[in-house]
Short mmCIF file of all heavy atoms in Angstrom, two decimals:
data_model
loop_
_atom_site.label_atom_id
_atom_site.label_comp_id
_atom_site.label_asym_id
_atom_site.label_seq_id
_atom_site.Cartn_x
_atom_site.Cartn_y
_atom_site.Cartn_z
N PHE A 314 -30.50 -0.75 0.33
CA PHE A 314 -29.49 0.11 -0.34
C PHE A 314 -28.91 1.15 0.63
O PHE A 314 -27.75 1.53 0.43
CB PHE A 314 -30.11 0.63 -1.66
CG PHE A 314 -30.15 -0.32 -2.74
CD1 PHE A 314 -31.32 -0.86 -3.19
CD2 PHE A 314 -28.93 -0.70 -3.33
CE1 PHE A 314 -31.27 -1.80 -4.25
CE2 PHE A 314 -28.91 -1.63 -4.39
CZ PHE A 314 -30.13 -2.17 -4.79
N LEU A 315 -29.69 1.55 1.60
CA LEU A 315 -29.17 2.49 2.64
C LEU A 315 -28.01 1.86 3.31
O LEU A 315 -26.88 2.41 3.45
CB LEU A 315 -30.20 2.93 3.57
CG LEU A 315 -29.66 3.71 4.78
CD1 LEU A 315 -29.21 5.10 4.35
CD2 LEU A 315 -30.72 3.88 5.90
N ALA A 316 -28.24 0.60 3.70
CA ALA A 316 -27.16 -0.19 4.38
C ALA A 316 -25.85 -0.37 3.48
O ALA A 316 -24.78 -0.21 3.94
CB ALA A 316 -27.66 -1.48 4.90
N VAL A 317 -26.15 -0.67 2.20
CA VAL A 317 -25.05 -0.80 1.33
C VAL A 317 -24.24 0.48 1.19
O VAL A 317 -23.04 0.52 1.20
CB VAL A 317 -25.53 -1.25 -0.12
CG1 VAL A 317 -24.36 -1.22 -1.12
CG2 VAL A 317 -26.12 -2.63 -0.03
N VAL A 318 -24.99 1.55 1.05
CA VAL A 318 -24.37 2.90 0.88
C VAL A 318 -23.47 3.15 2.11
O VAL A 318 -22.28 3.52 2.00
CB VAL A 318 -25.43 4.01 0.77
CG1 VAL A 318 -24.73 5.36 0.97
CG2 VAL A 318 -26.14 3.96 -0.58
N VAL A 319 -23.96 2.90 3.32
CA VAL A 319 -23.24 3.22 4.53
C VAL A 319 -22.04 2.20 4.72
O VAL A 319 -20.93 2.65 5.00
CB VAL A 319 -24.19 3.16 5.80
CG1 VAL A 319 -23.31 3.45 7.00
CG2 VAL A 319 -25.18 4.18 5.60
N ALA A 320 -22.27 0.93 4.39
CA ALA A 320 -21.12 0.02 4.41
C ALA A 320 -20.05 0.44 3.41
O ALA A 320 -18.86 0.38 3.73
CB ALA A 320 -21.53 -1.40 4.09
N ALA A 321 -20.46 0.93 2.24
CA ALA A 321 -19.51 1.39 1.26
C ALA A 321 -18.82 2.57 1.77
O ALA A 321 -17.57 2.83 1.57
CB ALA A 321 -20.19 1.69 -0.04
N MET A 322 -19.47 3.51 2.50
CA MET A 322 -18.88 4.64 2.98
C MET A 322 -17.80 4.34 4.07
O MET A 322 -16.77 5.01 4.07
CB MET A 322 -19.92 5.54 3.59
CG MET A 322 -20.26 6.68 2.67
SD MET A 322 -21.56 7.69 3.37
CE MET A 322 -22.17 8.34 1.79
N THR A 323 -18.10 3.36 4.96
CA THR A 323 -17.08 3.11 5.94
C THR A 323 -15.78 2.53 5.26
O THR A 323 -14.70 2.69 5.83
CB THR A 323 -17.59 2.09 7.05
OG1 THR A 323 -17.98 0.93 6.37
CG2 THR A 323 -18.67 2.67 7.86
N SER A 324 -15.97 1.91 4.13
CA SER A 324 -14.77 1.47 3.44
C SER A 324 -14.07 2.69 2.68
O SER A 324 -12.85 2.84 2.71
CB SER A 324 -15.10 0.44 2.35
OG SER A 324 -15.75 -0.67 2.96
N CYS A 325 -14.92 3.46 2.04
CA CYS A 325 -14.47 4.63 1.31
C CYS A 325 -13.65 5.53 2.23
O CYS A 325 -12.62 6.07 1.92
CB CYS A 325 -15.61 5.34 0.70
SG CYS A 325 -15.20 6.60 -0.43
N VAL A 326 -14.22 5.68 3.46
CA VAL A 326 -13.59 6.54 4.47
C VAL A 326 -12.10 6.02 4.76
O VAL A 326 -11.22 6.83 4.94
CB VAL A 326 -14.41 6.43 5.72
CG1 VAL A 326 -13.62 6.70 7.00
CG2 VAL A 326 -15.62 7.40 5.61
N SER A 327 -11.94 4.71 4.80
CA SER A 327 -10.64 4.18 5.08
C SER A 327 -9.71 4.43 3.93
O SER A 327 -8.46 4.58 4.11
CB SER A 327 -10.67 2.70 5.51
OG SER A 327 -10.88 1.87 4.38
N LEU A 328 -10.24 4.42 2.72
CA LEU A 328 -9.44 4.69 1.52
C LEU A 328 -8.99 6.15 1.59
O LEU A 328 -7.85 6.45 1.27
CB LEU A 328 -10.20 4.45 0.26
CG LEU A 328 -10.46 2.94 -0.09
CD1 LEU A 328 -11.66 2.90 -1.10
CD2 LEU A 328 -9.24 2.36 -0.70
N ILE A 329 -9.93 7.05 1.87
CA ILE A 329 -9.61 8.46 1.94
C ILE A 329 -8.61 8.75 3.06
O ILE A 329 -7.65 9.59 2.85
CB ILE A 329 -10.86 9.30 2.20
CG1 ILE A 329 -11.89 9.09 1.01
CG2 ILE A 329 -10.54 10.80 2.35
CD1 ILE A 329 -13.22 9.65 1.27
N GLU A 330 -8.80 8.10 4.18
CA GLU A 330 -7.87 8.38 5.36
C GLU A 330 -6.40 8.16 5.00
O GLU A 330 -5.53 8.76 5.57
CB GLU A 330 -8.32 7.45 6.51
CG GLU A 330 -7.54 7.64 7.83
CD GLU A 330 -7.68 9.02 8.51
OE1 GLU A 330 -8.61 9.69 8.18
OE2 GLU A 330 -6.75 9.33 9.23
N VAL A 331 -6.10 7.10 4.16
CA VAL A 331 -4.73 6.84 3.73
C VAL A 331 -4.07 8.11 3.21
O VAL A 331 -3.00 8.54 3.67
CB VAL A 331 -4.64 5.70 2.74
CG1 VAL A 331 -3.16 5.44 2.40
CG2 VAL A 331 -5.34 4.46 3.25
N GLY A 332 -4.70 8.69 2.18
CA GLY A 332 -4.16 9.83 1.55
C GLY A 332 -4.16 11.05 2.53
O GLY A 332 -3.16 11.82 2.47
N VAL A 333 -5.20 11.16 3.25
CA VAL A 333 -5.26 12.35 4.15
C VAL A 333 -4.18 12.32 5.23
O VAL A 333 -3.50 13.31 5.52
CB VAL A 333 -6.68 12.41 4.80
CG1 VAL A 333 -6.73 13.39 5.99
CG2 VAL A 333 -7.76 12.79 3.79
N ALA A 334 -3.98 11.06 5.87
CA ALA A 334 -2.95 10.98 6.86
C ALA A 334 -1.62 11.36 6.31
O ALA A 334 -0.80 12.06 6.92
CB ALA A 334 -2.95 9.57 7.42
N TRP A 335 -1.34 10.92 5.01
CA TRP A 335 -0.07 11.27 4.42
C TRP A 335 0.10 12.70 4.15
O TRP A 335 1.05 13.36 4.48
CB TRP A 335 0.13 10.42 3.17
CG TRP A 335 1.38 10.75 2.39
CD1 TRP A 335 2.62 10.63 2.87
CD2 TRP A 335 1.45 11.40 1.09
NE1 TRP A 335 3.55 11.10 1.93
CE2 TRP A 335 2.79 11.55 0.81
CE3 TRP A 335 0.55 11.79 0.11
CZ2 TRP A 335 3.28 12.07 -0.36
CZ3 TRP A 335 0.94 12.29 -1.05
CH2 TRP A 335 2.35 12.48 -1.32
N LEU A 336 -0.91 13.26 3.50
CA LEU A 336 -0.89 14.71 3.15
C LEU A 336 -0.68 15.60 4.46
O LEU A 336 0.07 16.54 4.44
CB LEU A 336 -2.18 15.17 2.44
CG LEU A 336 -2.36 14.71 1.03
CD1 LEU A 336 -3.76 15.04 0.50
CD2 LEU A 336 -1.30 15.31 0.10
N MET A 337 -1.38 15.20 5.48
CA MET A 337 -1.22 15.95 6.75
C MET A 337 0.22 15.93 7.31
O MET A 337 0.72 16.88 7.70
CB MET A 337 -2.19 15.43 7.82
CG MET A 337 -3.64 15.87 7.73
SD MET A 337 -4.74 14.94 8.69
CE MET A 337 -4.30 15.42 10.29
N GLU A 338 0.74 14.73 7.24
CA GLU A 338 2.13 14.55 7.85
C GLU A 338 3.21 15.04 6.92
O GLU A 338 4.19 15.61 7.37
CB GLU A 338 2.35 13.10 8.31
CG GLU A 338 1.42 12.74 9.54
CD GLU A 338 1.63 11.36 10.04
OE1 GLU A 338 2.58 10.70 9.67
OE2 GLU A 338 0.74 10.94 10.85
N ARG A 339 2.97 14.90 5.65
CA ARG A 339 4.09 15.19 4.70
C ARG A 339 4.09 16.72 4.43
O ARG A 339 5.13 17.30 4.40
CB ARG A 339 3.83 14.43 3.42
CG ARG A 339 4.64 14.82 2.16
CD ARG A 339 6.13 14.33 2.42
NE ARG A 339 6.91 14.63 1.29
CZ ARG A 339 7.34 15.79 0.88
NH1 ARG A 339 7.02 16.88 1.65
NH2 ARG A 339 8.10 15.98 -0.17
N PHE A 340 2.88 17.33 4.21
CA PHE A 340 2.88 18.71 3.88
C PHE A 340 2.35 19.59 4.92
O PHE A 340 2.06 20.73 4.73
CB PHE A 340 2.02 18.92 2.58
CG PHE A 340 2.50 18.16 1.43
CD1 PHE A 340 1.92 17.03 0.97
CD2 PHE A 340 3.62 18.63 0.68
CE1 PHE A 340 2.42 16.28 -0.13
CE2 PHE A 340 4.09 18.00 -0.40
CZ PHE A 340 3.47 16.75 -0.78
N ASN A 341 2.19 18.99 6.15
CA ASN A 341 1.71 19.73 7.27
C ASN A 341 0.41 20.45 7.03
O ASN A 341 0.18 21.59 7.49
CB ASN A 341 2.81 20.81 7.61
CG ASN A 341 3.04 20.79 9.10
OD1 ASN A 341 2.18 20.33 9.90
ND2 ASN A 341 4.21 21.23 9.50
N LEU A 342 -0.43 19.76 6.31
CA LEU A 342 -1.79 20.36 6.01
C LEU A 342 -2.75 20.12 7.11
O LEU A 342 -2.61 19.14 7.90
CB LEU A 342 -2.34 19.68 4.73
CG LEU A 342 -1.72 19.93 3.38
CD1 LEU A 342 -2.51 19.32 2.30
CD2 LEU A 342 -1.64 21.47 3.11
N ARG A 343 -3.74 20.93 7.20
CA ARG A 343 -4.87 20.66 8.11
C ARG A 343 -5.65 19.54 7.54
O ARG A 343 -5.73 19.37 6.36
CB ARG A 343 -5.70 21.91 8.35
CG ARG A 343 -5.05 22.88 9.29
CD ARG A 343 -6.13 23.62 10.09
NE ARG A 343 -7.23 23.98 9.22
CZ ARG A 343 -7.45 25.18 8.65
NH1 ARG A 343 -6.64 26.13 8.97
NH2 ARG A 343 -8.46 25.44 7.85
N ARG A 344 -6.39 18.78 8.45
CA ARG A 344 -7.26 17.68 7.96
C ARG A 344 -8.20 18.14 6.84
O ARG A 344 -8.36 17.43 5.87
CB ARG A 344 -7.98 17.08 9.27
CG ARG A 344 -8.72 15.78 8.96
CD ARG A 344 -9.15 15.18 10.29
NE ARG A 344 -8.19 14.14 10.72
CZ ARG A 344 -8.24 12.88 10.22
NH1 ARG A 344 -9.10 12.50 9.29
NH2 ARG A 344 -7.35 11.99 10.58
#
Side-chain angles (χ1 to χ4, degrees):
F314 281 109
L315 170 70
V317 172
V318 167
V319 178
M322 255 175 209
T323 55
S324 302
C325 189
V326 153
S327 73
L328 287 162
I329 298 170
E330 179 65 21
V331 181
V333 167
W335 175 62
L336 287 173
M337 282 168 67
E338 292 182 11
R339 170 73 176 74
F340 299 103
N341 229 336
L342 289 185
R343 283 214 316 260
R344 188 167 263 279

